[in-house]
Amino acid sequence: MNYLLYNRLADNGRGEENANKAKAALEEKGIKAELSCSNDQTLPEFFGSIKEDDCVILLGGDGTLNYFINNIGEKIPSNPLCLYPDGTGNDFGRDVENDPEIKNGLIPLNKYLERLPKVEVKGKTYRFINGIGYGIDGDCCVKAEEMKANGEEKIDYGSITVNLLLHSYVPKTARVKVDGIDLGEIKKVYLASAMNGRFYGGGMNISPSQKRGSGKISLAMIHGKGKLGTLLMFPKLFKGTHIKKKKNVLIKEGKCIEVEFDKPTGLQIDGEVVRDVTSYKAWID
């Protein structure tokens, strides 16, 4: 049996409509799936009600994956799991698009969920599948969340970032450790991310050399430039060519990344917002 698991509240309440469209699209490819809504029961309850060999297809994007890995419980189910991408943020899909096991638009998930990194923020621990954004990218997600709460449906993250950069965002002074090694005090920090994949923020190739399943995560930091110079660098993030600016870009792999800012700022975990954060610790076992 195949189950198509969806969130009724997704896409401004169009989750069920989108699920029916996805079901029809899968049926055209010869894949039959029974709809199941994640709002009607907890994930552990749902998996407890199906057979171990039943396949579960998650409908959504990065937010769906983030919700799944942080609400499923301590152990990821052994059921065959797939993702049917359907969301505004699909950086996971972008990162694994060359996986030869992708068939009929379904991305196999089990191997990508076996060894997920974690982050500790404000006393709570979360799993993450793509990355942690801390600094202007976190503040961008905070602003976008406020706009959505005010009923705005079309959110332009690029415009938000540019506006923050030119007006209200104040670069921070950071203290960073990678695998316990203190990298010292770093001034004028615009972002300090911890990455499990290469992409976040809707296609920013912030950590081009990061490989899923490598047993390591990557620190990606932009620092030291003025606001105009940093603004001119931002288009390079989508191509991954920003890493050539070694004076202002720091990429470092490790198993544990710790970042502390001198002033609180927003942080995002696969797009999910945590406000007023002064430090985080990310690691992979």
Side-chain angles (χ1 to χ4, degrees):
M1 173 74 75
N2 298 318
Y3 291 91
L4 184 62
L5 191 62
Y6 71 96
N7 176 0
R8 187 184 295 116
L9 304 179
D11 194 14
N12 294 303
R14 291 188 285 267
E16 188 167 356
E17 177 185 345
N18 294 342
N20 280 301
K21 290 180 180 178
K23 180 180 180 182
L26 287 170
E27 286 180 352
E28 288 181 359
K29 299 174 182 178
I31 302 171
K32 293 185 179 181
E34 181 177 323
L35 291 181
S36 187
C37 182
S38 61
N39 308 91
D40 297 334
Q41 56 188 322
T42 67
L43 289 175
E45 287 172 345
F46 167 72
F47 278 92
S49 69
I50 65 175
K51 298 178 181 179
E52 289 186 8
D53 59 350
D54 287 336
C55 177
V56 177
I57 303 168
L58 306 182
L59 178 66
D62 299 325
T64 295
L65 287 172
N66 178 272
Y67 178 83
F68 181 83
I69 62 180
N70 284 295
N71 288 275
I72 191 60
E74 187 62 30
K75 186 178 179 181
I76 302 294
S78 58
N79 297 73
L81 302 172
C82 294
L83 177 71
Y84 192 72
D86 179 58
T88 55
N90 287 294
D91 285 312
F92 171 77
R94 184 177 288 107
D95 196 35
V96 303
E97 63 183 3
N98 293 322
D99 186 333
E101 295 181 18
I102 297 175
K103 294 180 181 179
N104 297 313
L106 296 175
I107 303 173
L109 285 176
N110 296 72
K111 60 185 177 182
Y112 296 113
L113 305 184
E114 287 177 356
R115 191 180 180 188
L116 289 171
K118 297 178 181 178
V119 60
E120 183 179 335
V121 182
K122 301 177 79 169
K124 294 184 178 180
T125 300
Y126 309 85
R127 293 174 173 137
F128 63 97
I129 195 155
N130 290 324
I132 307 304
Y134 187 41
I136 194 168
D137 44 344
D139 277 355
C140 177
C141 289
V142 170
K143 182 63 177 178
E145 189 178 69
E146 292 172 351
M147 293 170 68
K148 291 177 184 178
N150 290 328
E152 296 187 42
E153 294 188 11
K154 295 183 178 180
I155 308 295
D156 187 336
Y157 288 88
S159 295
I160 296 172
T161 301
V162 170
N163 187 61
L164 286 171
L165 182 60
L166 294 180
H167 298 99
S168 59
Y169 185 77
V170 178
K172 309 299 188 287
T173 296
R175 196 88 194 185
V176 182
K177 292 181 181 180
V178 178
D179 291 343
I181 299 174
D182 194 335
L183 304 185
E185 189 175 81
I186 302 173
K187 298 184 181 296
K188 296 181 70 174
V189 175
Y190 290 88
L191 60 85
S193 305
M195 300 300 298
N196 182 48
R198 294 173 294 162
F199 299 95
Y200 73 3
M204 288 187 180
N205 191 359
I206 188 70
S207 184
S209 61
Q210 172 61 26
K211 294 182 180 179
R212 294 177 185 272
S214 66
K216 293 182 179 181
I217 53 179
S218 292
L219 169 72
M221 178 179 288
I222 294 178
H223 64 96
K225 274 185 175 289
K227 289 195 172 187
L228 181 58
T230 302
L231 177 61
L232 293 174
M233 186 189 295
F234 262 80
K236 299 179 185 297
L237 298 180
F238 290 89
K239 297 180 180 180
T241 56
H242 62 290
I243 61 173
K244 296 178 182 179
K245 305 291 184 179
K246 297 186 182 300
K247 182 179 178 181
N248 303 110
V249 177
L250 174 62
I251 306 290
K252 194 170 183 64
E253 290 185 341
K255 297 181 72 67
C256 181
I257 295 168
E258 299 173 79
V259 178
E260 182 178 359
F261 278 178
D262 62 336
K263 295 178 183 178
T265 189
L267 179 144
Q268 59 90 5
I269 307 168
D270 294 332
E272 301 301 310
V273 174
V274 184
R275 296 169 181 255
D276 301 320
V277 176
T278 55
S279 66
Y280 76 82
K281 176 182 177 181
W283 71 95
I284 187 165
D285 295 324

